């Protein structure tokens, strides 16, 4: 081993001698020449490499880096936006900023978003294009409200608004400073940005609301909507997520027929078999739907032939398989024969309710007979509406049965103890009960399940505008090119499946829907003079807090109140609903862009195809029949 070490040392010395001779590195050569012994001399190998000499530091410490960044921003980047607006003369390029939510610190998502936009802006400036970019913030909505009031969730409206405003503005300032530090091109002063909280923005929003109301595109009605008991408000589809592992009851039950098709043999007891995963909605049952194109059969259970059952012919086998029963077919009829059938209500058993023909009844699951509760389902609502059947809702804003429900249900939460109470009450008519794991909607903020619940809400009638919106999408360029068609199809599909857009929310941190009501008749009070009075108050107060601090006769002048011909001013009350934050941010093109209020580019994450891209498109097409982006 000693010998090997010696050989290595000699070889190393020879290599260094050769390096010094060929490179004329006198410093190293001298060191080797004068070396008394290998053990006492330490050679710096960096001295054996010829590198350029520079005073430029290899790295900056954090303090110097921040100082340098500040100098660059203050002396150069902060002036870039105003400079290019004054000096560049090629055609203007408009990038409209989707307003980030003012509810937290900046993160990697903000960085990706702003840096991509900055790439676009600076590249356009290099090409001598003048750019228009007005940064914005979304300041309203439940997420801000929840964060601001984590310790006082049931506070009065003005406490909520003051705390939420303070939280949003402080968060906004921190985000603004970060964006400025990142060197993102733009005018980051208050004058150069937009905020959905600003008085001029709120005024524009109320004006646009009224314009759509006058055109008949905004209306108020009692309809089933997604309802979040955890947030105590209605939700739009864009505010939903889905839990793929949600468990619900899978119930097959029977209802007794009062009148049966003439072509069926007459029996003392004939029941229709129905399948549902929402037993809690049975109290609101108003009809049973069938498909006239299907065949239906009268059958009996071989283990209990005393009762006879009505079920779709093609679903007998699957019913037998799932329930371990053994139905035997006795007679078959066309679906059209069910037209005049009636049955007893599954819970109260006091009403005689109709069978209704409906295309949404499928032959792939269930029994071909569908429990229909217009207060708790969109298709249910539409089919009952067409037959002038009233909507009965027995569920309150906490998703509990209200005081109009039978006593044994009152106060029970529908998705748990409510389900159990209903199942126990109708147990003699339960044919089979199991559970099913399926995808179920949840509130995107609280992650709690939502329900379909009928309530008075404000809507945009998307049926009247979605065809034009879909045509506008065809003329829009989507990037990257290789997925353009896919994203267009996604956006159009989302548009076409929405029969209406619920734009009202039952919260107080937002822009109120500018409507008054007659307490006696329930009629809505909105007209030009009322809207102008509201706008004047916003202008003088600098905000819209007066909606929660003043009575209606303090907001409306005596002349306006007289013209309304209401029996008493005390009968006029302002509404408690605010506008959906997607409507809030969706009208940003109307407030932040200059004429013709069309952006060359919207640049956001793909999730905005069901969010801001869509709400911007719908409001723009509703008002002027054109998309807000190219």
């Amino acid at each position: 081993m000693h010998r090997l070490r010696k050989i290595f040392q000699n070889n190393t010395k020879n290599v260094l001698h050769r390096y010094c001779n060929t490179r004329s590195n006198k410093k190293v050569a001298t060191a080797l020449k004068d070396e008394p012994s290998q053990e006492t001399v330490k050679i710096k190998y960096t001295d054996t490499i010829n590198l350029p000499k520079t005073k430029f530091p290899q790295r900056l410490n954090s303090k110097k880096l921040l100082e340098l960044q500040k100098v660059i921003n203050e002396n150069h980047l902060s002036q870039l936006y105003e400079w290019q607006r004054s000096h560049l003369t090629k055609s203007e390029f408009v990038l409209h900023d989707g307003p980030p939510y003012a509810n937290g610190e900046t993160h990697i998502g903000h960085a990706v978003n702003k840096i991509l936009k900055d790439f676009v802006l600076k590249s356009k400036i290099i090409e001598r294009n003048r750019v228009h970019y007005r940064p914005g913030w979304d300041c309203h909505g439940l997420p801000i409200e929840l964060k601001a009031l984590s310790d006082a969730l049931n506070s009065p409206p003005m406490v909520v608004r003051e705390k939420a405003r303070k939280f949003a503005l402080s968060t906004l300032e921190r985000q603004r400073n970060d964006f400025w530090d990142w060197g993102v091109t733009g005018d980051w002063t208050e004058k150069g940005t937009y905020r959905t909280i600003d008085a001029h923005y709120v005024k524009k929003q109320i004006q646009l609301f009224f314009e759509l109301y006058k055109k008949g595109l905004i209306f108020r009605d009692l309809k089933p909507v997604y309802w979040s008991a955890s947030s105590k408000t209605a939700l739009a589809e864009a505010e939903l997520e889905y839990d793929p592992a949600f468990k619900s009851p899978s119930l097959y039950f029977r209802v007794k027929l009062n009148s049966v098709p003439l072509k069926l043999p007459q029996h003392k007891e004939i029941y229709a078999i129905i399948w549902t995963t929402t037993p809690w909605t049975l109290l609101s049952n108003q009809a049973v739907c069938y498909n006239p194109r299907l065949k239906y059969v009268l059958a009996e259970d071989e283990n209990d032939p005393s009762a006879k059952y009505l079920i779709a012919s093609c679903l007998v086998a699957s019913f037998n398989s799932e329930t371990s029963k053994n139905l035997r077919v006795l007679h078959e009829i066309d679906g059209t024969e069910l037209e005049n059938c009636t049955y007893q209500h599954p819970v109260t058993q006091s009403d005689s309710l109709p069978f209704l023909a409906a295309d949404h009844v499928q032959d792939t699951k269930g029994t071909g007979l569908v429990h229909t509760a217009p207060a708790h389902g969109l298709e249910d609502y539409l089919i009952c509406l067409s037959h002038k059947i009233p909507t009965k809702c027995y569920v309150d804003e906490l998703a509990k049965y209200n005081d109009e429900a039978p006593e044994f249900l009152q106060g029970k939460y529908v998705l748990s103890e409510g389900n159990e109470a209903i199942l126990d009450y109708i147990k003699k008519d339960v044919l089979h009960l199991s559970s099913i794991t399926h995808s179920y909607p949840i509130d995107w903020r609280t992650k709690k399940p939502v329900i379909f619940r009928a309530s008075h809400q404000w809507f945009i009638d998307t049926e009247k505008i979605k065809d034009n919106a879909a045509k506008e999408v065809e003329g829009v360029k989507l990037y990257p090119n290789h997925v353009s068609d896919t994203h267009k199809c996604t956006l159009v599909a989302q548009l076409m499946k929405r029969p209406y857009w619920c734009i009202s929310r039952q919260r107080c941190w937002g822009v109120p829907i500018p409507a008054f009501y007659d307490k006696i008749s329930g009629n809505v009070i909105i007209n030009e003079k009322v809207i102008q009075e509201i706008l004047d108050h916003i202008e003088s107060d600098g905000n819209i807090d007066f909606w929660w601090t003043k009575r209606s006769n303090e907001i409306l002048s005596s002349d306006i109140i007289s013209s309304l011909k209401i029996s008493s001013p005390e009968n006029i009350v302002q509404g408690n609903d605010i506008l959906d934050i997607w409507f809030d941010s969706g009208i940003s093109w109307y407030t932040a862009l200059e004429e013709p209020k069309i952006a060359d580019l919207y640049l956001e994450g793909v999730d905005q195809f069901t969010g801001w891209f869509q709400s911007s498109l719908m409001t723009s097409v509703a008002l002027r029949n054109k998309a807000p982006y190219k």
Side-chain angles (χ1 to χ4, degrees):
M1 186 64 115
H2 177 73
R3 181 171 181 155
L4 285 172
R5 188 182 294 115
K6 202 73 172 163
I7 292 170
F8 178 78
Q9 289 172 349
N10 289 336
N11 284 343
T12 302
K13 187 182 291 186
N14 290 336
V15 169
L16 287 172
H17 273 296
R18 287 197 300 272
Y19 175 82
C20 295
N21 290 334
T22 56
R23 290 293 209 171
S24 301
N25 192 323
K26 294 181 180 180
K27 186 175 179 181
V28 176
T30 302
L32 289 170
K33 181 178 178 182
D34 297 338
E35 180 184 16
S37 69
Q38 188 68 24
E39 286 76 13
T40 59
V41 176
K42 292 183 179 179
I43 299 171
K44 287 183 68 177
Y45 288 105
T46 53
D47 292 336
T48 70
I49 304 173
N50 283 335
L51 291 175
K53 303 297 181 184
T54 177
K55 293 181 180 180
F56 194 83
Q58 288 184 334
R59 64 181 64 86
L60 287 176
N61 62 41
S62 58
K63 182 179 179 182
K64 287 194 173 185
L65 186 60
L66 290 173
E67 288 174 357
L68 178 62
Q69 185 174 307
K70 186 177 180 181
V71 169
I72 293 172
N73 280 349
E74 288 180 350
N75 296 337
H76 303 286
L77 295 181
S78 64
Q79 301 171 26
L80 175 61
Y81 187 77
E82 287 303 321
W83 176 88
Q84 61 87 26
R85 295 293 295 170
S86 303
H87 291 80
L88 300 185
T89 55
K90 286 183 70 174
S91 59
E92 184 168 76
F93 180 86
V94 180
L95 196 166
H96 184 33
D97 190 35
Y101 215 52
N103 71 329
E105 303 300 328
T106 52
H107 51 70
I108 188 63
H110 291 101
V112 170
N113 183 286
K114 295 302 182 189
I115 291 169
L116 285 174
K117 289 174 181 174
D118 198 46
F119 283 164
V120 174
L121 294 170
K122 285 188 170 71
S123 67
K124 289 296 178 182
I125 291 171
I126 289 170
E127 293 171 357
R128 309 290 298 169
N129 289 98
R130 186 173 58 205
V131 301
H132 179 281
Y133 174 68
R134 192 176 179 194
W137 279 272
D138 196 347
C139 303
H140 291 135
L142 187 59
I144 291 173
E145 189 177 324
L146 293 177
K147 279 199 173 184
L149 281 90
S150 56
D151 58 341
L153 290 177
N154 295 315
S155 301
M158 278 312 301
V159 173
V160 172
R161 289 184 65 80
E162 286 166 6
K163 287 192 172 186
R165 181 185 292 110
K166 182 178 179 181
F167 177 85
L169 292 177
S170 64
T171 302
L172 184 155
E173 283 306 313
R174 293 196 300 276
Q175 289 186 4
R176 184 206 304 269
N177 291 334
D178 285 347
F179 299 154
W180 184 86
D181 283 343
W182 297 349
V184 178
T185 303
D187 179 358
W188 293 99
T189 65
E190 191 169 321
K191 180 188 71 173
T193 58
Y194 74 92
R195 307 178 304 182
T196 61
I197 198 175
D198 290 332
H200 74 273
Y201 193 102
V202 173
K203 287 174 64 177
K204 286 279 191 181
Q205 191 168 344
I206 288 175
Q207 287 170 337
L208 189 143
F209 174 93
F210 185 57
E211 287 300 317
L212 298 186
Y213 177 79
K214 286 193 299 182
K215 294 175 74 170
L217 296 175
I218 286 181
F219 63 96
R220 186 173 186 259
D221 203 355
L222 176 68
K223 290 179 183 287
V225 295
Y226 288 110
W227 184 271
S228 171
S230 54
S231 296
K232 298 181 187 176
T233 186
L235 298 178
E237 287 186 25
E239 297 171 294
L240 301 177
E241 293 179 354
Y242 285 84
D243 178 0
F246 192 86
K247 286 190 175 180
S248 295
S250 177
L251 171 68
Y252 286 93
F253 68 100
R254 66 184 190 179
V255 293
K256 187 175 182 180
L257 299 188
N258 292 332
S259 59
V260 299
L262 295 176
K263 290 189 177 181
L264 283 182
Q266 297 301 304
H267 293 276
K268 185 178 180 182
E269 293 187 346
I270 298 179
Y271 296 87
I273 301 176
I274 300 169
W275 175 71
T276 184
T277 60
T278 56
W280 63 270
T281 65
L282 293 182
L283 183 62
S284 295
N285 176 269
Q286 293 286 83
V288 167
C289 284
Y290 66 92
N291 190 328
R293 293 191 296 274
L294 296 181
K295 297 283 189 180
Y296 289 82
V297 297
L298 187 69
E300 68 178 14
D301 185 353
E302 292 184 348
N303 299 320
D304 181 16
S306 60
K308 304 298 183 281
Y309 297 105
L310 186 67
I311 185 173
S313 175
C314 57
L315 291 166
V316 172
S318 64
F319 172 81
N320 286 339
S321 174
E322 285 191 41
T323 63
S324 300
K325 294 190 179 296
N326 191 12
L327 289 187
R328 182 172 64 88
V329 174
L330 302 176
H331 194 84
E332 184 177 80
I333 59 172
D334 292 330
T336 53
E337 298 295 325
L338 301 180
E339 183 178 4
N340 296 314
C341 285
T342 60
Y343 68 98
Q344 290 180 357
H345 191 278
V347 179
T348 65
Q349 297 186 344
S350 58
D351 300 322
S352 187
L353 300 173
F355 274 52
L356 302 176
D359 291 335
H360 70 267
V361 179
Q362 302 296 313
D363 60 359
T364 54
K365 182 70 177 174
T367 65
L369 298 169
V370 176
H371 148 58
T372 301
H376 302 296
L378 176 58
E379 290 168 328
D380 305 42
Y381 171 80
L382 294 175
I383 192 70
C384 287
L385 182 67
S386 67
H387 288 82
K388 295 182 170 55
I389 294 174
T391 297
K392 296 180 180 180
C393 184
Y394 301 98
V395 179
D396 66 17
E397 64 177 15
L398 296 175
K400 295 180 179 181
Y401 288 109
N402 61 25
D403 293 342
E404 295 180 21
E407 190 174 348
F408 77 95
L409 290 173
Q410 290 176 13
K412 288 182 168 60
Y413 178 59
V414 296
L415 291 179
S416 55
E417 53 187 348
N419 266 334
E420 293 168 6
I422 287 284
L423 290 169
D424 182 64
Y425 192 80
I426 67 166
K427 58 188 174 184
K428 69 180 178 62
D429 290 317
V430 172
L431 300 177
H432 181 76
L433 177 64
S434 60
S435 64
I436 183 172
T437 300
H438 61 136
S439 182
Y440 190 88
I442 60 174
D443 185 329
W444 70 325
R445 302 177 182 101
T446 64
K447 310 304 178 186
K448 302 290 185 182
V450 304
I451 61 172
F452 247 109
R453 171 181 175 266
S455 58
H456 280 101
Q457 302 292 340
W458 287 87
F459 303 91
I460 288 183
D461 189 352
T462 52
E463 281 291 337
K464 293 181 178 178
I465 58 179
K466 63 187 181 183
D467 287 338
N468 286 339
K471 288 178 184 175
E472 285 296 304
V473 170
E474 291 303 313
V476 174
K477 294 180 181 177
L478 277 75
Y479 300 96
N481 287 323
H482 69 279
V483 291
S484 174
D485 290 342
T486 301
H487 288 320
K488 277 188 180 181
C489 290
T490 299
L491 184 52
V492 170
Q494 289 287 335
L495 292 170
M496 300 308 289
K497 76 177 185 180
R498 290 178 71 164
Y500 48 77
W501 171 11
C502 178
I503 58 170
S504 50
R505 297 290 180 272
Q506 288 62 55
R507 307 300 301 186
C508 59
W509 179 232
V511 177
I513 290 178
F516 293 85
Y517 302 92
D518 181 342
K519 278 198 299 188
I520 305 302
S521 66
N523 292 337
V524 176
I525 301 170
I526 301 181
N527 59 42
E528 295 270 7
K529 291 181 179 179
V530 167
I531 293 298
Q532 189 56 53
E533 195 88 358
I534 294 170
L535 297 177
D536 290 344
H537 276 284
I538 297 172
E539 186 66 31
S540 60
D541 292 8
N543 58 51
I544 201 166
D545 286 349
F546 64 84
W547 196 261
W548 288 270
T549 60
K550 295 181 179 179
R551 298 166 61 112
S552 58
N553 59 2
E554 296 175 290
I555 299 172
L556 300 176
S557 68
S558 56
D559 289 343
I560 292 177
I561 292 174
S562 327
S563 69
L564 295 175
K565 295 184 171 61
I566 304 293
S567 58
S568 167
E570 297 300 317
N571 291 332
I572 303 174
V573 294
Q574 60 262 49
N576 296 319
D577 299 332
I578 63 170
L579 285 161
D580 175 17
I581 58 170
W582 289 111
F583 187 88
D584 220 23
S585 61
I587 63 119
S588 59
W589 60 268
Y590 187 61
T591 60
L593 299 184
E594 298 172 356
E595 291 294 343
K597 298 187 181 297
I598 298 176
D600 291 286
L601 182 65
Y602 274 40
L603 198 165
E604 305 295 333
V606 292
D607 58 320
Q608 296 307 319
F609 279 106
T610 55
W612 188 58
F613 292 165
Q614 190 175 141
S615 62
S616 298
L617 177 68
M618 297 298 275
T619 54
S620 181
V621 170
L623 186 67
R624 56 183 185 167
N625 262 332
K626 60 177 69 173
Y629 38 69
K630 297 178 182 178

